[in-house]
């Protein structure tokens, strides 16, 4: 048995589960903290939809633009310096351009739609686009099959983008389902990445509509569970609220405590530990009582420096958990 002083985390191969701006930020931090090629980002695609005849993949694009260094720094999504002439022209044609697509962003959707029409899988199309933008790490969709998040509300069932963008996530959520999930399968690259990973990180993304769809792909949860990797989540809830998006409203409406304790309960049995913000330090004993290790640090990523510091903290936490596991053997 190796002693704790001699143990080191195996050659790091990291898989990050991500969706949305928070997930993209931590993925970017991990990219800065790791050697090129060491990171695979597994991205939610249940937000994907078609608009104006184009295949739109919001979470894939947010991650891709962020890792490529071209994301709009003010919004976290879209392309920096983009213009909106196409949307303005659609308005002149009397169309409701409720989902805003910048002119440079449109090029991504046009090319993706063409690649898919030529018979490429979503994984292949994503690789083509990301490589062209200079991304040196792997970005993988959670599956190549079409899956659609449906949000149940008192006014009926809404497509996710209707709920999130058109209606500004103002409806009370009573349930969430994923249409088509039964036919979905993890790609071979995904299974290979999970099998070979030394670390799996659940980014601070919405647990319901960013991480849950990934885990719902048949075979995905089992592949994560059987991986020998250390698995750590980063809470997207800080001080009783989500930093961005409707996660806190969803947690409250669906019966979960709006705190890192509620997040930990959703991931219980799947992760070894969770990182929470310093503001929530007093909640650590409640999480530890679930059998989950806890680490506290600043989780609010306002700058690139914050992103890489959180990434390094997460990797260090994983190393400490791996060392603890090795010593226990």
């Amino acid at each position: 048995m190796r002693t704790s002083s001699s143990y080191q985390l195996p050659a790091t191969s990291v898989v990050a589960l991500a969706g949305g701006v928070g997930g993209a930020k931590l993925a970017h931090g991990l990219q800065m903290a790791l050697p090129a090629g060491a990171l695979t980002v597994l991205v939610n695609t249940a937000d994907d939809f078609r608009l104006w005849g184009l295949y739109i993949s919001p979470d894939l694009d947010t991650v891709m633009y962020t890792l490529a260094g071209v994301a709009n720094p003010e919004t976290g999504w879209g392309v920096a310096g983009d213009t909106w002439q196409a949307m303005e022209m659609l308005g002149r044609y009397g169309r409701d351009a409720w989902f805003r697509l910048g002119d440079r962003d449109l090029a991504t959707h046009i090319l993706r739609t063409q690649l898919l029409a030529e018979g490429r899988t979503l994984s292949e199309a994503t690789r083509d686009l990301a490589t062209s933008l200079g991304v040196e790490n792997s970005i993988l969709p959670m599956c190549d099959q079409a899956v659609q998040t449906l949000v149940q509300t008192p006014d009926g069932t809404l497509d996710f983008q209707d709920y999130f963008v058109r209606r500004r996530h103002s409806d009370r959520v009573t349930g969430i389902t994923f249409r088509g999930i039964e036919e979905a399968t993890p790609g071979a690259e995904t299974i290979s990445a999970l099998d070979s990973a030394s670390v799996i990180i659940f980014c601070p993304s919405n647990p319901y509509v960013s991480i849950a769809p990934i885990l719902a792909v048949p075979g995905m949860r089992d592949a994560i569970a059987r991986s020998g990797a250390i698995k750590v989540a980063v809470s997207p809830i800080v001080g009783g609220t989500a930093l961005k998006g409707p996660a806190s409203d969803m947690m409250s409406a669906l019966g979960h405590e709006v705190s890192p304790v509620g997040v930990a309960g959703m991931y219980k049995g799947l992760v070894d530990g969770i990182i929470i913000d310093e503001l929530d330090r007093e909640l650590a004993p409640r999480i530890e009582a679930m059998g989950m290790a806890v680490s506290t640090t600043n989780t609010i990523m306002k700058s690139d420096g914050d992103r890489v510091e959180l990434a390094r903290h997460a990797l260090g936490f994983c190393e400490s958990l791996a060392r603890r596991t090795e010593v226990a053997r």
Side-chain angles (χ1 to χ4, degrees), residues 277-299:
D277 194 85
E278 292 282 2
L279 291 173
D280 297 308
R281 176 182 289 274
E282 73 280 1
L283 299 175
R286 293 178 58 196
I287 299 173
E288 290 168 343
M290 300 180 190
M292 194 178 298
V294 180
S295 181
T296 59
T297 190
N298 170 51
T299 62

Side-chain angles (χ1 to χ4, degrees), residues 303-314:
S303 67
D304 284 358
D306 292 335
R307 298 177 189 186
V308 73
E309 283 305 312
L310 180 55
R312 287 171 177 161
H313 183 91

Side-chain angles (χ1 to χ4, degrees), residues 8-27:
Q8 290 185 339
L9 195 69
T12 305
S13 176
V14 176
V15 174
L17 278 60
V21 174
K25 286 181 176 181
L26 183 53

Side-chain angles (χ1 to χ4, degrees), residues 22-54:
K25 286 181 176 181
L26 183 53
H28 184 217
L30 290 165
Q31 175 172 267
M32 290 187 283
L34 292 165
L39 175 66
T40 297
V41 189
L42 185 57
V43 183
N44 165 52
T45 55
D47 294 0
D48 293 10
F49 71 119
R50 288 187 178 270
L51 183 67
W52 315 117
L54 301 175

Side-chain angles (χ1 to χ4, degrees), residues 7-161:
Y7 182 77
Q8 290 185 339
L9 195 69
T12 305
S13 176
V14 176
V15 174
L17 278 60
V21 174
K25 286 181 176 181
L26 183 53
H28 184 217
L30 290 165
Q31 175 172 267
M32 290 187 283
L34 292 165
L39 175 66
T40 297
V41 189
L42 185 57
V43 183
N44 165 52
T45 55
D47 294 0
D48 293 10
F49 71 119
R50 288 187 178 270
L51 183 67
W52 315 117
L54 301 175
Y55 188 100
I56 315 295
S57 192
D59 280 1
L60 277 175
D61 290 340
T62 296
V63 170
M64 180 176 70
Y65 293 153
T66 302
L67 296 192
V70 300
N72 183 335
E74 296 180 3
T75 62
W77 51 266
V79 181
D82 217 340
T83 54
W84 306 93
Q85 294 184 47
M87 295 297 104
E88 292 169 7
M89 195 66 183
L90 282 168
R92 290 187 62 183
Y93 283 126
R95 301 305 193 267
D96 179 11
W98 61 272
F99 193 94
R100 303 280 288 170
L101 299 170
D103 299 323
R104 296 176 183 176
D105 191 28
L106 274 169
T108 300
H109 309 313
I110 290 168
L111 183 54
R112 177 190 292 113
T113 304
Q114 179 183 351
L115 292 170
L116 294 174
E118 291 172 351
R120 304 280 192 93
T121 64
L122 184 58
S123 295
E124 292 168 341
T126 300
R127 185 187 309 113
D128 189 312
L129 294 168
T131 300
S132 296
L133 290 180
V135 178
E136 296 181 326
N137 291 291
S138 297
I139 302 174
L140 296 174
M142 68 185 200
C143 61
D144 287 322
Q145 296 78 24
V147 176
Q148 183 181 16
T149 296
L150 300 177
V151 180
Q152 281 79 50
T153 76
D155 289 336
T157 299
L158 303 173
D159 291 342
F160 179 77
Q161 299 301 342

Side-chain angles (χ1 to χ4, degrees), residues 200-202 230-235 264 267 269-276 287 291-295 317-318 321 324:
I200 298 174
I201 294 178
F202 291 50
I230 296 296
K231 307 167 188 82
V232 163
V234 180
S235 174
Y267 295 149
L270 194 58
V271 302
D272 303 296
I274 186 169
I275 297 171
I276 66 176
I287 299 173
M292 194 178 298
V294 180
S295 181
F317 183 37
C318 290
L321 292 177
R324 187 184 309 176

